């Protein structure tokens, strides 16, 4: 009888040891995919929010995500070097926000030839080089800005545009969207389009020059964050805030302060966190499930002093606030 009980006891001990060993040896979930995101610059809050979106999606979809950027949008050569480096690293996917529509194309083609999945974010590439594209509908967003600026100037008068880096797909789309929409207003004339190189000082200088050259200017549209800041600084410095209406793009703390002060009449706010998240999500879906890449547009909102404190817009402007 005692031998029988001893036998059962030994069997139980072995079973428990086997179960514990199985639990201990169960592999921890590892990253399935390596995804490198390369954006236009490291000096804008917009891209920091994009990065946050990629990190969250990487954690959720078990992807090893890396986020690289040149020091500014003007450093196209630097971004090209980063893309070359990424190709050498042989990730499963590259998500690219190209700072130059044409110059990045040969390297994008090289990535595809090396069997790397290529998606674009924010700015397109020519020749359908990417499998999918995630971006703000820039034509639509700039059209919203055009309608609002037309309203502010009473649907008549002279307007100017200060763009970012010539050759960037995003800039071209926003220019097109603004110009297409403003055609609805026969008494409005766009008298100038300048390029700031996505530089605050240059946007500041260009704004002052345009105001001096066109004393009857009624409104100005800035196409990205740094350009918008330069416009606001110049408009405030010259005391033209009441007479020259200004609309910008993006929602850095500086821009929101200018809106609150009334130095900027409005800004078009994108959803960069969503863009980063959706880019990683789509890359994993293509790699894992073999789905087809697609165009995903994220929405935009016109933010003014009057609506910036609504609960919906506060959540949009400060996505990490509890």
């Amino acid at each position: 009888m005692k031998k029988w009980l001893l036998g059962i006891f030994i069997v139980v001990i072995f079973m428990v040891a086997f179960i514990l060993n199985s639990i201990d040896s169960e592999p921890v979930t590892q990253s399935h995919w390596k995804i490198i995101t390369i954006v236009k610059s490291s000096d804008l809050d917009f891209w920091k929010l994009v990065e946050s979106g990629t990190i969250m999606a990487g954690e959720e979809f078990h992807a090893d995500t890396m986020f690289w950027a040149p020091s500014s949008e003007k450093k196209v050569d630097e971004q090209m070097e980063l893309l070359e480096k990424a190709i050498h690293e042989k990730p499963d996917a590259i998500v690219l926000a190209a700072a130059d529509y044409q110059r990045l194309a040969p390297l994008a083609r090289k990535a595809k030839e090396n069997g790397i999945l290529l998606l674009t974010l924010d700015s397109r590439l020519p020749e359908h080089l990417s499998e999918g594209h995630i971006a703000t509908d820039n034509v639509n967003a700039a059209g919203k800005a055009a309608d609002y600026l037309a309203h502010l100037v009473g649907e008549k008068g002279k307007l100017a545009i200060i763009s970012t880096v010539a050759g960037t797909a995003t800039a071209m789309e926003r220019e097109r969207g603004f110009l297409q929409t403003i055609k609805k207003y026969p008494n409005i004339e766009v008298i100038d389009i300048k390029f700031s190189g996505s530089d605050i000082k240059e946007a500041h200088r260009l704004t002052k020059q345009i105001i001096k050259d066109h004393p009857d200017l009624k409104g100005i549209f800035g196409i990205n964050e740094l350009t918008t800041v330069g416009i606001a600084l110049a408009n405030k410095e010259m005391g033209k805030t009441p007479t020259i209406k200004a609309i910008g793009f993006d929602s850095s703390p500086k821009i929101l302060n200018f809106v609150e002060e009334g130095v900027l009449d409005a800004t078009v706010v994108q959803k960069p966190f969503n863009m980063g998240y959706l880019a990683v999500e789509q890359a994993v879906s293509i790699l894992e499930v073999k789905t087809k890449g697609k165009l995903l547009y994220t929405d935009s909102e016109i933010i003014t002093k009057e609506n910036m404190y609504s609960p919906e817009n506060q959540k949009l402007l400060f996505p990490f606030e509890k």
Side-chain angles (χ1 to χ4, degrees):
M1 184 69 174
K2 290 181 180 178
K3 289 182 180 179
W4 180 73
L5 287 172
L6 180 61
I8 292 176
F9 180 73
I10 291 170
V11 170
V12 170
I13 291 295
F14 273 110
M15 288 178 66
V16 171
F18 176 77
I19 291 168
L20 290 174
N21 185 61
S22 298
I23 293 171
D24 289 341
S25 62
E26 185 177 331
V28 177
T29 302
Q30 297 294 321
S31 298
H32 296 160
W33 309 107
K34 181 177 179 180
I35 301 171
I36 299 175
T37 300
I38 304 173
V39 298
K40 298 176 186 177
S41 74
S42 59
D43 61 349
L44 295 179
D45 290 334
F46 177 88
W47 298 116
K48 293 171 186 174
L49 286 169
V50 171
E51 181 179 12
S52 298
T54 67
I55 291 169
M56 179 173 283
E59 292 171 353
E60 186 170 335
F61 300 110
H62 308 297
D64 179 13
T65 59
M66 287 175 282
F67 197 87
W68 299 349
S71 54
S72 78
E73 287 191 23
K74 294 184 291 184
K75 306 289 186 179
V76 179
D77 289 340
E78 194 176 322
Q79 191 187 45
M80 292 172 71
E81 290 171 8
L82 290 174
L83 183 52
E84 189 79 69
K85 178 184 174 184
I87 294 168
H88 181 73
E89 297 240 349
K90 298 181 180 178
D92 298 290
I94 293 174
V95 179
L96 175 66
D100 189 290
Y101 180 80
Q102 295 291 345
R103 292 178 62 191
L104 271 294
L107 283 174
R109 196 176 299 111
K110 181 178 177 180
K112 290 190 69 174
E113 289 168 355
N114 278 266
I116 300 169
L117 171 67
L118 180 69
L119 301 178
T120 48
L121 182 145
D122 184 61
S123 293
R124 295 177 184 271
L125 285 168
E127 302 176 27
H128 306 290
L129 286 170
S130 63
E131 296 297 321
H133 181 62
I134 302 91
T136 300
D137 186 339
N138 286 301
V139 173
N140 177 267
K144 291 178 184 179
D147 275 328
Y148 194 72
L149 189 54
H151 162 72
L152 290 175
V153 300
E155 300 186 6
K156 60 182 179 180
K158 295 178 179 180
L159 307 180
I161 298 172
I162 298 186
S163 189
T164 59
V165 178
T168 303
T170 302
M172 291 189 287
E173 289 171 1
R174 291 176 190 171
E175 290 163 30
R176 186 169 77 249
F178 189 91
L179 293 171
Q180 284 176 352
T181 300
I182 215 70
K183 285 179 182 177
K184 296 189 302 183
Y185 306 97
N187 295 319
I188 288 180
E189 178 188 4
V190 177
I191 48 87
D192 214 344
I193 300 176
K194 298 291 187 183
F195 293 90
S196 71
S198 197
D199 182 85
I200 291 176
K201 290 182 179 179
E202 181 62 5
H204 176 267
R205 186 191 70 79
L206 288 170
T207 301
K208 292 178 72 174
Q209 189 62 52
I210 290 170
I211 290 172
K212 288 176 182 176
D213 291 345
H214 303 278
D216 54 349
L217 187 74
K218 295 297 182 185
I220 191 163
F221 173 48
I223 278 182
N224 82 333
E225 180 183 325
L226 298 180
T227 298
T228 297
V229 172
I231 290 169
L233 288 170
N235 216 20
K236 184 177 182 180
E237 182 182 312
M238 298 182 76
K240 296 293 184 178
T241 301
T243 54
I244 298 179
K245 304 302 180 182
I247 292 183
F249 234 92
D250 294 325
S251 60
S252 71
K254 281 185 179 179
I255 288 177
L256 295 179
N257 284 338
F258 284 135
V259 172
E260 192 172 33
E261 290 176 30
V263 176
L264 280 173
D265 294 279
T267 187
V268 181
V269 176
Q270 306 177 77
K271 298 184 178 179
F273 180 90
N274 295 13
M275 289 168 61
Y277 182 94
L278 290 170
V280 171
E281 181 185 40
Q282 181 166 176
V284 171
S285 178
I286 295 170
L287 291 166
E288 250 176 34
V289 192
K290 307 301 180 186
T291 58
K292 286 188 176 181
K294 54 187 176 181
L295 169 63
L296 295 175
Y297 275 141
T298 54
D299 202 7
S300 60
E301 301 290 340
I302 293 280
I303 299 297
T304 67
K305 185 177 181 178
E306 289 70 33
N307 70 15
M308 68 188 299
Y309 294 107
S310 72
E312 297 81 8
N313 288 336
Q314 282 289 293
K315 189 174 179 180
L316 172 62
L317 298 172
F318 307 103
F320 303 113
E321 294 288 338
K322 293 184 179 180

PDB file of all heavy atoms in Angstrom, residues 53-69:
ATOM      1  N   GLY A  53       3.128  57.388 -32.798  1.00  0.00           N
ATOM      2  CA  GLY A  53       2.176  56.467 -33.415  1.00  0.00           C
ATOM      3  C   GLY A  53       2.834  55.180 -33.868  1.00  0.00           C
ATOM      4  O   GLY A  53       2.277  54.080 -33.703  1.00  0.00           O
ATOM      5  N   THR A  54       4.057  55.277 -34.420  1.00  0.00           N
ATOM      6  CA  THR A  54       4.761  54.066 -34.862  1.00  0.00           C
ATOM      7  C   THR A  54       5.157  53.197 -33.675  1.00  0.00           C
ATOM      8  O   THR A  54       5.098  51.966 -33.750  1.00  0.00           O
ATOM      9  CB  THR A  54       6.022  54.407 -35.684  1.00  0.00           C
ATOM     10  OG1 THR A  54       6.993  55.045 -34.845  1.00  0.00           O
ATOM     11  CG2 THR A  54       5.703  55.307 -36.860  1.00  0.00           C
ATOM     12  N   ILE A  55       5.542  53.832 -32.570  1.00  0.00           N
ATOM     13  CA  ILE A  55       5.935  53.072 -31.378  1.00  0.00           C
ATOM     14  C   ILE A  55       4.743  52.284 -30.824  1.00  0.00           C
ATOM     15  O   ILE A  55       4.856  51.092 -30.515  1.00  0.00           O
ATOM     16  CB  ILE A  55       6.510  54.012 -30.296  1.00  0.00           C
ATOM     17  CG1 ILE A  55       7.864  54.564 -30.757  1.00  0.00           C
ATOM     18  CG2 ILE A  55       6.661  53.277 -28.965  1.00  0.00           C
ATOM     19  CD1 ILE A  55       8.393  55.694 -29.886  1.00  0.00           C
ATOM     20  N   MET A  56       3.590  52.960 -30.715  1.00  0.00           N
ATOM     21  CA  MET A  56       2.417  52.267 -30.181  1.00  0.00           C
ATOM     22  C   MET A  56       1.999  51.109 -31.078  1.00  0.00           C
ATOM     23  O   MET A  56       1.692  50.009 -30.596  1.00  0.00           O
ATOM     24  CB  MET A  56       1.249  53.239 -30.020  1.00  0.00           C
ATOM     25  CG  MET A  56      -0.007  52.562 -29.493  1.00  0.00           C
ATOM     26  SD  MET A  56      -1.349  53.719 -29.088  1.00  0.00           S
ATOM     27  CE  MET A  56      -0.744  54.350 -27.528  1.00  0.00           C
ATOM     28  N   ALA A  57       2.000  51.333 -32.394  1.00  0.00           N
ATOM     29  CA  ALA A  57       1.620  50.257 -33.317  1.00  0.00           C
ATOM     30  C   ALA A  57       2.632  49.118 -33.270  1.00  0.00           C
ATOM     31  O   ALA A  57       2.265  47.943 -33.343  1.00  0.00           O
ATOM     32  CB  ALA A  57       1.511  50.809 -34.743  1.00  0.00           C
ATOM     33  N   GLY A  58       3.920  49.451 -33.133  1.00  0.00           N
ATOM     34  CA  GLY A  58       4.949  48.415 -33.034  1.00  0.00           C
ATOM     35  C   GLY A  58       4.726  47.520 -31.827  1.00  0.00           C
ATOM     36  O   GLY A  58       4.848  46.294 -31.910  1.00  0.00           O
ATOM     37  N   GLU A  59       4.379  48.135 -30.701  1.00  0.00           N
ATOM     38  CA  GLU A  59       4.102  47.354 -29.489  1.00  0.00           C
ATOM     39  C   GLU A  59       2.865  46.492 -29.663  1.00  0.00           C
ATOM     40  O   GLU A  59       2.836  45.334 -29.242  1.00  0.00           O
ATOM     41  CB  GLU A  59       3.918  48.304 -28.296  1.00  0.00           C
ATOM     42  CG  GLU A  59       5.206  49.015 -27.892  1.00  0.00           C
ATOM     43  CD  GLU A  59       4.981  50.101 -26.858  1.00  0.00           C
ATOM     44  OE1 GLU A  59       3.783  50.393 -26.555  1.00  0.00           O
ATOM     45  OE2 GLU A  59       5.968  50.670 -26.351  1.00  0.00           O
ATOM     46  N   GLU A  60       1.867  47.040 -30.307  1.00  0.00           N
ATOM     47  CA  GLU A  60       0.606  46.306 -30.458  1.00  0.00           C
ATOM     48  C   GLU A  60       0.722  45.151 -31.452  1.00  0.00           C
ATOM     49  O   GLU A  60       0.128  44.087 -31.240  1.00  0.00           O
ATOM     50  CB  GLU A  60      -0.490  47.272 -30.909  1.00  0.00           C
ATOM     51  CG  GLU A  60      -1.865  46.641 -30.957  1.00  0.00           C
ATOM     52  CD  GLU A  60      -2.967  47.667 -31.172  1.00  0.00           C
ATOM     53  OE1 GLU A  60      -2.771  48.845 -30.820  1.00  0.00           O
ATOM     54  OE2 GLU A  60      -4.028  47.276 -31.703  1.00  0.00           O
ATOM     55  N   PHE A  61       1.480  45.361 -32.518  1.00  0.00           N
ATOM     56  CA  PHE A  61       1.560  44.350 -33.577  1.00  0.00           C
ATOM     57  C   PHE A  61       2.873  43.569 -33.560  1.00  0.00           C
ATOM     58  O   PHE A  61       3.212  42.887 -34.523  1.00  0.00           O
ATOM     59  CB  PHE A  61       1.343  45.018 -34.948  1.00  0.00           C
ATOM     60  CG  PHE A  61       0.010  45.680 -35.071  1.00  0.00           C
ATOM     61  CD1 PHE A  61      -0.090  47.069 -35.111  1.00  0.00           C
ATOM     62  CD2 PHE A  61      -1.161  44.939 -35.115  1.00  0.00           C
ATOM     63  CE1 PHE A  61      -1.324  47.697 -35.212  1.00  0.00           C
ATOM     64  CE2 PHE A  61      -2.397  45.550 -35.217  1.00  0.00           C
ATOM     65  CZ  PHE A  61      -2.484  46.936 -35.265  1.00  0.00           C
ATOM     66  N   HIS A  62       3.613  43.664 -32.444  1.00  0.00           N
ATOM     67  CA  HIS A  62       4.858  42.898 -32.256  1.00  0.00           C
ATOM     68  C   HIS A  62       5.850  43.137 -33.397  1.00  0.00           C
ATOM     69  O   HIS A  62       6.395  42.196 -33.982  1.00  0.00           O
ATOM     70  CB  HIS A  62       4.552  41.406 -32.133  1.00  0.00           C
ATOM     71  CG  HIS A  62       3.515  41.101 -31.090  1.00  0.00           C
ATOM     72  ND1 HIS A  62       3.710  41.381 -29.753  1.00  0.00           N
ATOM     73  CD2 HIS A  62       2.268  40.575 -31.193  1.00  0.00           C
ATOM     74  CE1 HIS A  62       2.630  41.016 -29.078  1.00  0.00           C
ATOM     75  NE2 HIS A  62       1.741  40.545 -29.927  1.00  0.00           N
ATOM     76  N   ALA A  63       6.058  44.398 -33.720  1.00  0.00           N
ATOM     77  CA  ALA A  63       7.039  44.777 -34.745  1.00  0.00           C
ATOM     78  C   ALA A  63       8.174  45.553 -34.085  1.00  0.00           C
ATOM     79  O   ALA A  63       7.966  46.325 -33.154  1.00  0.00           O
ATOM     80  CB  ALA A  63       6.378  45.624 -35.828  1.00  0.00           C
ATOM     81  N   ASP A  64       9.379  45.329 -34.575  1.00  0.00           N
ATOM     82  CA  ASP A  64      10.557  46.063 -34.110  1.00  0.00           C
ATOM     83  C   ASP A  64      10.651  47.334 -34.950  1.00  0.00           C
ATOM     84  O   ASP A  64      11.027  47.281 -36.118  1.00  0.00           O
ATOM     85  CB  ASP A  64      11.796  45.179 -34.283  1.00  0.00           C
ATOM     86  CG  ASP A  64      13.070  45.882 -33.832  1.00  0.00           C
ATOM     87  OD1 ASP A  64      12.960  46.935 -33.172  1.00  0.00           O
ATOM     88  OD2 ASP A  64      14.162  45.389 -34.149  1.00  0.00           O
ATOM     89  N   THR A  65      10.275  48.463 -34.371  1.00  0.00           N
ATOM     90  CA  THR A  65      10.216  49.710 -35.141  1.00  0.00           C
ATOM     91  C   THR A  65      11.392  50.618 -34.820  1.00  0.00           C
ATOM     92  O   THR A  65      11.795  50.735 -33.665  1.00  0.00           O
ATOM     93  CB  THR A  65       8.907  50.477 -34.866  1.00  0.00           C
ATOM     94  OG1 THR A  65       8.823  50.785 -33.471  1.00  0.00           O
ATOM     95  CG2 THR A  65       7.696  49.649 -35.266  1.00  0.00           C
ATOM     96  N   MET A  66      11.933  51.239 -35.856  1.00  0.00           N
ATOM     97  CA  MET A  66      12.977  52.251 -35.709  1.00  0.00           C
ATOM     98  C   MET A  66      12.532  53.515 -36.427  1.00  0.00           C
ATOM     99  O   MET A  66      11.793  53.432 -37.422  1.00  0.00           O
ATOM    100  CB  MET A  66      14.302  51.745 -36.286  1.00  0.00           C
ATOM    101  CG  MET A  66      14.962  50.679 -35.430  1.00  0.00           C
ATOM    102  SD  MET A  66      16.446  50.014 -36.210  1.00  0.00           S
ATOM    103  CE  MET A  66      15.701  48.917 -37.401  1.00  0.00           C
ATOM    104  N   PHE A  67      12.969  54.657 -35.940  1.00  0.00           N
ATOM    105  CA  PHE A  67      12.512  55.933 -36.468  1.00  0.00           C
ATOM    106  C   PHE A  67      13.713  56.830 -36.718  1.00  0.00           C
ATOM    107  O   PHE A  67      14.425  57.192 -35.784  1.00  0.00           O
ATOM    108  CB  PHE A  67      11.558  56.585 -35.458  1.00  0.00           C
ATOM    109  CG  PHE A  67      10.709  57.684 -36.028  1.00  0.00           C
ATOM    110  CD1 PHE A  67       9.491  57.409 -36.637  1.00  0.00           C
ATOM    111  CD2 PHE A  67      11.114  59.004 -35.941  1.00  0.00           C
ATOM    112  CE1 PHE A  67       8.702  58.420 -37.144  1.00  0.00           C
ATOM    113  CE2 PHE A  67      10.335  60.024 -36.451  1.00  0.00           C
ATOM    114  CZ  PHE A  67       9.120  59.735 -37.050  1.00  0.00           C
ATOM    115  N   TRP A  68      13.958  57.171 -37.987  1.00  0.00           N
ATOM    116  CA  TRP A  68      15.121  57.961 -38.366  1.00  0.00           C
ATOM    117  C   TRP A  68      14.680  59.243 -39.068  1.00  0.00           C
ATOM    118  O   TRP A  68      13.653  59.279 -39.748  1.00  0.00           O
ATOM    119  CB  TRP A  68      16.026  57.174 -39.311  1.00  0.00           C
ATOM    120  CG  TRP A  68      16.589  55.910 -38.734  1.00  0.00           C
ATOM    121  CD1 TRP A  68      16.559  55.498 -37.441  1.00  0.00           C
ATOM    122  CD2 TRP A  68      17.277  54.882 -39.463  1.00  0.00           C
ATOM    123  NE1 TRP A  68      17.180  54.283 -37.305  1.00  0.00           N
ATOM    124  CE2 TRP A  68      17.634  53.875 -38.526  1.00  0.00           C
ATOM    125  CE3 TRP A  68      17.628  54.706 -40.790  1.00  0.00           C
ATOM    126  CZ2 TRP A  68      18.319  52.721 -38.889  1.00  0.00           C
ATOM    127  CZ3 TRP A  68      18.304  53.558 -41.167  1.00  0.00           C
ATOM    128  CH2 TRP A  68      18.651  52.579 -40.226  1.00  0.00           C
ATOM    129  N   ALA A  69      15.500  60.289 -38.924  1.00  0.00           N
ATOM    130  CA  ALA A  69      15.176  61.558 -39.583  1.00  0.00           C
ATOM    131  C   ALA A  69      16.422  62.413 -39.735  1.00  0.00           C
ATOM    132  O   ALA A  69      17.282  62.415 -38.852  1.00  0.00           O
ATOM    133  CB  ALA A  69      14.131  62.316 -38.773  1.00  0.00           C
TER     134      ALA A  69
END
